[in-house]
Amino acid sequence: MNPHIYEPRRRNMEGQPFIPLAWSETQLDAMKDRSMQLLDLMRKRRTTRHFSTRDVPKELIEQAILCGGTAPSGAHLQPWTFVAISSQALKQKIREAAEAEERKTYQERMPDAWREVLQPLGTDAIKEHLTDAPWVVVLFRQSKRLRSNGEWGPTYYSGESCGIAAGMFIHAIHNMGLVTLTHTPSPMGFLRDILNRPDYEHAMLVLPVGYPAENAMVPDLQRKTLDEIAVFFEE
Ligand code: IYR
């Protein structure tokens, strides 16, 4: 073998063979169609705080979590735990704890610069979505993992990995016709205690999921244009 010619790796460092990538070509026209269809769909996604109490079957939540779990992750450690709650008593407990923190945040801890950008969203310390939505999904980020030698080791890029998983979960929820809200009670350490999670798991997002309330409202917001969010360097 010529050592100067790069040979793609066909097995991993433990000698296990890779498997072929399952991929089939999409014609350019179809790619354009599909890219437009997805953009149309995603442009219709909105975050609302107004949920109906109507039930959502557990199976749909499971599918959305599985979609989130397809996210790429640092060293493929999949450093996430999705805790899905439909128990009304538990949702009530989470709401009370979240509102207690949020009251302090809104009344005492929130600096002006933060308050100013929240004004257009009309948020406050009352979190009825936590008890109205039939499901509340809490995403925990794992900062450690158990090694095969029994010792604890770090995870890598767990914030990025969980952020991507959250995005894919949100996409799945929107695609199936439900709504969700990326809620970040702050600080959210209380969720580990209430939900009995280990100390290396850190709550990072609270996602109520359900049908929108009949009179659900959203702020009238604009999304940035392509020119505002992208820079291209071309040939
Ligand atoms: N955690 C608070 C405040 C809040 C912060 C941001 I940044 C938001 O986009 C919305 C709310 C709350 O949940 O109300």
Side-chain angles (χ1 to χ4, degrees):
M1 212 187 350
N2 183 339
H4 300 290
I5 296 177
Y6 175 72
E7 282 286 327
R9 189 171 284 290
R10 294 189 183 284
R11 40 188 73 244
N12 70 13
M13 297 306 202
E14 292 160 345
Q16 277 158 349
F18 284 2
I19 57 168
L21 172 69
W23 182 83
S24 60
E25 179 155 352
T26 304
Q27 293 308 306
L28 201 52
D29 282 348
M31 282 199 218
K32 289 179 185 169
D33 278 355
R34 283 161 63 173
S35 70
M36 284 188 301
Q37 277 165 23
L38 181 62
L39 180 57
D40 277 350
L41 175 74
M42 297 311 269
R43 281 185 162 152
K44 291 187 188 119
R45 189 201 59 76
R46 290 300 312 260
T47 295
T48 183
R49 292 182 160 71
H50 305 146
F51 287 81
S52 156
T53 56
R54 185 170 160 195
D55 275 348
V56 164
K58 180 181 179 187
E59 186 191 345
L60 295 179
I61 304 300
E62 290 174 334
Q63 303 283 55
I65 292 173
L66 286 169
C67 279
T70 67
S73 62
H76 191 55
L77 292 177
Q78 306 170 80
W80 41 66
T81 306
F82 292 82
V83 177
I85 304 136
S86 68
S87 152
Q88 200 59 32
L90 205 45
K91 286 188 289 173
Q92 183 65 39
K93 200 166 169 188
I94 291 172
R95 176 173 173 181
E96 280 162 23
E99 288 185 338
E101 289 293 2
E102 292 290 342
R103 272 194 296 275
K104 282 188 229 157
T105 297
Y106 278 90
Q107 283 164 19
E108 302 155 26
R109 298 192 281 230
M110 195 176 277
D112 268 2
W114 190 359
R115 213 175 280 281
E116 168 183 301
V117 285
L118 286 186
Q119 224 109 59
L121 305 183
T123 59
D124 57 27
I126 299 163
K127 302 301 178 192
E128 63 263 89
H129 48 261
L130 291 175
T131 45
D132 286 349
W135 289 95
V136 171
V137 177
V138 183
L139 175 55
F140 284 86
R141 174 181 70 82
Q142 302 168 356
S143 57
K144 287 192 219 160
R145 58 140 190 149
L146 196 53
R147 299 176 61 195
S148 51
N149 67 3
E151 290 174 16
W152 287 95
T155 56
Y156 305 95
Y157 302 101
S158 60
E160 290 83 346
S161 305
C162 288
I164 299 167
M168 295 174 80
F169 174 86
I170 293 164
H171 181 172
I173 292 295
H174 175 60
N175 186 56
M176 64 177 75
L178 296 172
V179 295
T180 183
L181 155 69
T182 41
H183 173 44
T184 49
S186 122
M188 56 177 114
F190 65 88
L191 289 162
R192 182 191 292 136
D193 302 329
I194 293 180
L195 298 171
N196 230 345
R197 301 308 306 165
D199 64 357
Y200 57 87
E201 288 193 2
H202 313 271
M204 67 174 261
L205 270 182
V206 178
L207 298 136
V209 177
Y211 290 91
E214 249 169 54
N215 55 353
M217 304 288 280
V218 293
D220 186 12
L221 305 176
Q222 300 304 314
R223 291 196 163 110
K224 288 183 178 177
T225 63
L226 185 61
D227 284 348
E228 290 172 303
I229 65 172
V231 176
F232 290 87
F233 290 92
E234 292 177 274
E235 212 44 77

